[in-house]
Amino acid sequence: MPTTTFHRVGTGAHPVLVLHGWFGDAHAFEPIEPWLSGEAFSYLFMDCRGYGGMRGVPGDYTIDEIANDALTLADTLGIPTFSLVGHSMGGMAIERIAVLAPDRVRALVAVAPVPCGGIAYDSPARQVLEAAAGSVSIRRGIIDRSTGGRLPAAWLDWKAQYSMAHASPEAFAAYLPAWADTDFSMEIIGRHPVKVLIGEHDPVFNAALMDRTYLHRYRQATLEVLEDAGHYPMNETPLALVAAIERFLVKFAEA
């Protein structure tokens, strides 16, 4: 049996492993699931340790652990090659998978991703992020800022409360240094096709950051900005996100 919880959408011949972000779990992409092309793709949405169905499972809570759990899942399901989609923290994890198993990865879609060199925050910002593990109101404020301060209060409340309910405080706290401080940029091979998708209202994970990271490190990387989205395009602009993902991945149907 797989060593992680996951669910599958679609039965197509092109497998796609999908990794969630710091505030999500395997069901974070639910708003896009009805519109995915299940005939062309088989999407596998995986929980990181400490999240969702894996909330009570202990771990090291590192990027390497996420990557190795994803590779183990692919092995268990008999999937030799696959494409990858990763959101935020999951964006860093899919880069790690491409480093650890480069010949198994067809293409990568990085959605509002944390780059493989991490993010350097000043001390006040870092303190806010660290305090988020134990505070739903601080999580709500982070979500509000990361989406441009423009979304309904009810959605911000729901997103923050969902995060609190579906991630253990220990895992949430430990994953912060995992994604903010990890740096394996010198290990990037740079040969994989990469589509980077960002929201126009995301103040941190913006075009300037992607230009000096993904577009600099990958020879086949391209950037697309999703209008009317911030850091959570799966919630903000689900149809545009599906279209962008599949327009890119369809080119890599053959292993």
mmCIF file with all atom_site columns, all heavy atoms in Angstrom, residues 3 5 36 56 150 160 192 194 203 225:
data_model
loop_
_atom_site.group_PDB
_atom_site.id
_atom_site.type_symbol
_atom_site.label_atom_id
_atom_site.label_alt_id
_atom_site.label_comp_id
_atom_site.label_asym_id
_atom_site.label_entity_id
_atom_site.label_seq_id
_atom_site.pdbx_PDB_ins_code
_atom_site.Cartn_x
_atom_site.Cartn_y
_atom_site.Cartn_z
_atom_site.occupancy
_atom_site.B_iso_or_equiv
_atom_site.pdbx_formal_charge
_atom_site.auth_seq_id
_atom_site.auth_comp_id
_atom_site.auth_asym_id
_atom_site.auth_atom_id
_atom_site.pdbx_PDB_model_num
ATOM 1  N N   . THR A 1 3   ? 2.557   4.726  1.022   1.00 0.00 ? 3   THR A N   1
ATOM 2  C CA  . THR A 1 3   ? 2.948   5.202  2.349   1.00 0.00 ? 3   THR A CA  1
ATOM 3  C C   . THR A 1 3   ? 2.417   6.606  2.629   1.00 0.00 ? 3   THR A C   1
ATOM 4  O O   . THR A 1 3   ? 2.728   7.186  3.659   1.00 0.00 ? 3   THR A O   1
ATOM 5  C CB  . THR A 1 3   ? 4.484   5.216  2.474   1.00 0.00 ? 3   THR A CB  1
ATOM 6  O OG1 . THR A 1 3   ? 5.031   6.015  1.425   1.00 0.00 ? 3   THR A OG1 1
ATOM 7  C CG2 . THR A 1 3   ? 5.043   3.803  2.391   1.00 0.00 ? 3   THR A CG2 1
ATOM 8  N N   . THR A 1 5   ? -1.224  9.346  1.954   1.00 0.00 ? 5   THR A N   1
ATOM 9  C CA  . THR A 1 5   ? -2.602  9.429  1.484   1.00 0.00 ? 5   THR A CA  1
ATOM 10 C C   . THR A 1 5   ? -2.652  10.300 0.232   1.00 0.00 ? 5   THR A C   1
ATOM 11 O O   . THR A 1 5   ? -1.918  11.281 0.106   1.00 0.00 ? 5   THR A O   1
ATOM 12 C CB  . THR A 1 5   ? -3.515  10.008 2.565   1.00 0.00 ? 5   THR A CB  1
ATOM 13 O OG1 . THR A 1 5   ? -2.958  11.230 3.060   1.00 0.00 ? 5   THR A OG1 1
ATOM 14 C CG2 . THR A 1 5   ? -3.657  9.031  3.725   1.00 0.00 ? 5   THR A CG2 1
ATOM 15 N N   . LEU A 1 36  ? -10.615 19.245 -14.829 1.00 0.00 ? 36  LEU A N   1
ATOM 16 C CA  . LEU A 1 36  ? -9.418  18.610 -15.364 1.00 0.00 ? 36  LEU A CA  1
ATOM 17 C C   . LEU A 1 36  ? -9.776  17.587 -16.435 1.00 0.00 ? 36  LEU A C   1
ATOM 18 O O   . LEU A 1 36  ? -10.835 16.952 -16.366 1.00 0.00 ? 36  LEU A O   1
ATOM 19 C CB  . LEU A 1 36  ? -8.636  17.927 -14.235 1.00 0.00 ? 36  LEU A CB  1
ATOM 20 C CG  . LEU A 1 36  ? -8.077  18.855 -13.159 1.00 0.00 ? 36  LEU A CG  1
ATOM 21 C CD1 . LEU A 1 36  ? -7.577  18.041 -11.970 1.00 0.00 ? 36  LEU A CD1 1
ATOM 22 C CD2 . LEU A 1 36  ? -6.955  19.722 -13.713 1.00 0.00 ? 36  LEU A CD2 1
ATOM 23 N N   . GLY A 1 56  ? -1.614  13.022 11.353  1.00 0.00 ? 56  GLY A N   1
ATOM 24 C CA  . GLY A 1 56  ? -1.057  12.440 12.553  1.00 0.00 ? 56  GLY A CA  1
ATOM 25 C C   . GLY A 1 56  ? 0.207   11.632 12.341  1.00 0.00 ? 56  GLY A C   1
ATOM 26 O O   . GLY A 1 56  ? 0.701   11.001 13.287  1.00 0.00 ? 56  GLY A O   1
ATOM 27 N N   . ARG A 1 150 ? -7.703  41.701 -1.326  1.00 0.00 ? 150 ARG A N   1
ATOM 28 C CA  . ARG A 1 150 ? -8.833  41.992 -2.216  1.00 0.00 ? 150 ARG A CA  1
ATOM 29 C C   . ARG A 1 150 ? -9.930  40.941 -2.202  1.00 0.00 ? 150 ARG A C   1
ATOM 30 O O   . ARG A 1 150 ? -10.915 41.058 -2.934  1.00 0.00 ? 150 ARG A O   1
ATOM 31 C CB  . ARG A 1 150 ? -8.322  42.147 -3.661  1.00 0.00 ? 150 ARG A CB  1
ATOM 32 C CG  . ARG A 1 150 ? -7.220  41.159 -3.995  1.00 0.00 ? 150 ARG A CG  1
ATOM 33 C CD  . ARG A 1 150 ? -6.690  41.252 -5.402  1.00 0.00 ? 150 ARG A CD  1
ATOM 34 N NE  . ARG A 1 150 ? -7.499  40.505 -6.318  1.00 0.00 ? 150 ARG A NE  1
ATOM 35 C CZ  . ARG A 1 150 ? -7.475  39.174 -6.424  1.00 0.00 ? 150 ARG A CZ  1
ATOM 36 N NH1 . ARG A 1 150 ? -6.699  38.448 -5.643  1.00 0.00 ? 150 ARG A NH1 1
ATOM 37 N NH2 . ARG A 1 150 ? -8.237  38.574 -7.301  1.00 0.00 ? 150 ARG A NH2 1
ATOM 38 N N   . ALA A 1 160 ? -8.069  30.192 6.364   1.00 0.00 ? 160 ALA A N   1
ATOM 39 C CA  . ALA A 1 160 ? -7.252  30.128 7.572   1.00 0.00 ? 160 ALA A CA  1
ATOM 40 C C   . ALA A 1 160 ? -7.703  28.990 8.481   1.00 0.00 ? 160 ALA A C   1
ATOM 41 O O   . ALA A 1 160 ? -6.872  28.240 9.026   1.00 0.00 ? 160 ALA A O   1
ATOM 42 C CB  . ALA A 1 160 ? -7.309  31.457 8.313   1.00 0.00 ? 160 ALA A CB  1
ATOM 43 N N   . HIS A 1 192 ? 14.855  20.342 -17.682 1.00 0.00 ? 192 HIS A N   1
ATOM 44 C CA  . HIS A 1 192 ? 13.436  20.002 -17.737 1.00 0.00 ? 192 HIS A CA  1
ATOM 45 C C   . HIS A 1 192 ? 12.587  21.174 -18.254 1.00 0.00 ? 192 HIS A C   1
ATOM 46 O O   . HIS A 1 192 ? 12.865  22.329 -17.930 1.00 0.00 ? 192 HIS A O   1
ATOM 47 C CB  . HIS A 1 192 ? 12.935  19.609 -16.349 1.00 0.00 ? 192 HIS A CB  1
ATOM 48 C CG  . HIS A 1 192 ? 13.525  18.345 -15.836 1.00 0.00 ? 192 HIS A CG  1
ATOM 49 N ND1 . HIS A 1 192 ? 14.599  18.317 -14.970 1.00 0.00 ? 192 HIS A ND1 1
ATOM 50 C CD2 . HIS A 1 192 ? 13.201  17.047 -16.074 1.00 0.00 ? 192 HIS A CD2 1
ATOM 51 C CE1 . HIS A 1 192 ? 14.905  17.066 -14.697 1.00 0.00 ? 192 HIS A CE1 1
ATOM 52 N NE2 . HIS A 1 192 ? 14.079  16.272 -15.354 1.00 0.00 ? 192 HIS A NE2 1
ATOM 53 N N   . VAL A 1 194 ? 9.704   23.693 -17.957 1.00 0.00 ? 194 VAL A N   1
ATOM 54 C CA  . VAL A 1 194 ? 9.049   24.241 -16.768 1.00 0.00 ? 194 VAL A CA  1
ATOM 55 C C   . VAL A 1 194 ? 8.096   25.358 -17.188 1.00 0.00 ? 194 VAL A C   1
ATOM 56 O O   . VAL A 1 194 ? 8.470   26.265 -17.938 1.00 0.00 ? 194 VAL A O   1
ATOM 57 C CB  . VAL A 1 194 ? 10.073  24.804 -15.762 1.00 0.00 ? 194 VAL A CB  1
ATOM 58 C CG1 . VAL A 1 194 ? 9.352   25.385 -14.543 1.00 0.00 ? 194 VAL A CG1 1
ATOM 59 C CG2 . VAL A 1 194 ? 11.074  23.744 -15.338 1.00 0.00 ? 194 VAL A CG2 1
ATOM 60 N N   . PRO A 1 203 ? 2.235   39.467 -3.925  1.00 0.00 ? 203 PRO A N   1
ATOM 61 C CA  . PRO A 1 203 ? 3.279   40.467 -3.701  1.00 0.00 ? 203 PRO A CA  1
ATOM 62 C C   . PRO A 1 203 ? 4.690   39.900 -3.557  1.00 0.00 ? 203 PRO A C   1
ATOM 63 O O   . PRO A 1 203 ? 5.665   40.620 -3.769  1.00 0.00 ? 203 PRO A O   1
ATOM 64 C CB  . PRO A 1 203 ? 2.851   41.139 -2.395  1.00 0.00 ? 203 PRO A CB  1
ATOM 65 C CG  . PRO A 1 203 ? 2.092   40.075 -1.666  1.00 0.00 ? 203 PRO A CG  1
ATOM 66 C CD  . PRO A 1 203 ? 1.388   39.278 -2.731  1.00 0.00 ? 203 PRO A CD  1
ATOM 67 N N   . VAL A 1 225 ? 1.486   34.914 -16.262 1.00 0.00 ? 225 VAL A N   1
ATOM 68 C CA  . VAL A 1 225 ? 0.838   35.617 -15.160 1.00 0.00 ? 225 VAL A CA  1
ATOM 69 C C   . VAL A 1 225 ? -0.675  35.453 -15.289 1.00 0.00 ? 225 VAL A C   1
ATOM 70 O O   . VAL A 1 225 ? -1.258  35.766 -16.327 1.00 0.00 ? 225 VAL A O   1
ATOM 71 C CB  . VAL A 1 225 ? 1.208   37.115 -15.164 1.00 0.00 ? 225 VAL A CB  1
ATOM 72 C CG1 . VAL A 1 225 ? 0.501   37.830 -14.018 1.00 0.00 ? 225 VAL A CG1 1
ATOM 73 C CG2 . VAL A 1 225 ? 2.722   37.292 -15.058 1.00 0.00 ? 225 VAL A CG2 1
#
